Amino acid sequence: MRPLLRQLLLLALTTPSTTQQQPQRYGVYVQSDSRAPSEVAPAKRNESWWWASAALTARQAARHGDRYVHYRVPPTGCVAADGLTELTAPWCKVLAMLQAMDDFPGAAVFLYLDSDAAVSPAYANRSLVALGDFVAARTPGFGDESRPVALSRD
């Protein structure tokens, strides 16, 4: 496990069905923040947009057999693999994705969601694997060795 993200909070892990002969394909929703959703007092949850994002995303993952993971970024920020170089906040997202890939090596697809984002209701009836297949079908080369990652930007 990467030293940067040792403090791991798994909110809603689901176990794949054992009745299927082939392993079930699953995706992993990844979020990270300096705050942990478990630290929000129940009375304050209606006031916390990032807690709502975590709760909705965890529910979405559980509904479709996907996984959800929230990594807590240390208050001191992120540090590169050399242990010395301080990284700016956006790089913490990259480290969270790398950690998720280590923690869930059997996942078919990963999706990082900012803590102020949630899955649109229009796509809430699809698993993350189905969403990944949807993107792959419309993006030539997506998912192969030459383009294993899809990125978006604000």
Side-chain angles (χ1 to χ4, degrees):
M1 180 178 280
R2 288 176 174 52
L4 169 66
L5 299 172
R6 286 194 189 279
Q7 231 176 339
L8 171 66
L9 175 65
L10 298 175
L11 292 181
L13 288 180
T14 57
T15 54
S17 171
T18 56
T19 59
Q20 297 178 353
Q21 296 216 346
Q22 292 187 1
Q24 178 183 359
R25 292 175 65 211
Y26 67 91
V28 179
Y29 290 93
V30 182
Q31 289 186 308
S32 62
D33 202 288
S34 60
R35 305 158 291 194
S38 62
E39 293 176 354
V40 178
K44 295 286 188 181
R45 290 182 178 165
N46 289 337
E47 302 169 14
S48 174
W49 49 267
W50 65 270
W51 183 88
S53 173
L56 288 169
T57 305
R59 187 178 309 143
Q60 169 73 9
R63 182 181 304 130
H64 297 290
D66 292 320
R67 312 301 193 271
Y68 172 77
V69 63
H70 181 279
Y71 294 102
R72 183 164 184 197
V73 177
T76 55
C78 296
V79 179
D82 66 7
L84 303 172
T85 307
E86 292 183 20
L87 302 174
T88 58
W91 286 104
C92 296
K93 298 174 186 181
V94 174
L95 292 176
M97 286 296 286
L98 291 171
Q99 186 64 51
M101 293 170 80
D102 284 350
D103 292 344
F104 300 92
V109 64
F110 294 86
L111 176 66
Y112 185 92
L113 283 178
D114 278 331
S115 59
D116 62 350
V119 176
S120 166
Y123 295 97
N125 63 342
R126 293 185 183 183
S127 71
L128 186 52
V129 171
L131 289 172
D133 291 345
F134 177 84
V135 171
R138 287 155 182 79
T139 310
F142 173 74
D144 65 18
E145 295 280 331
S146 65
R147 291 185 72 185
V149 176
L151 301 174
S152 73
R153 57 184 175 173
D154 294 336

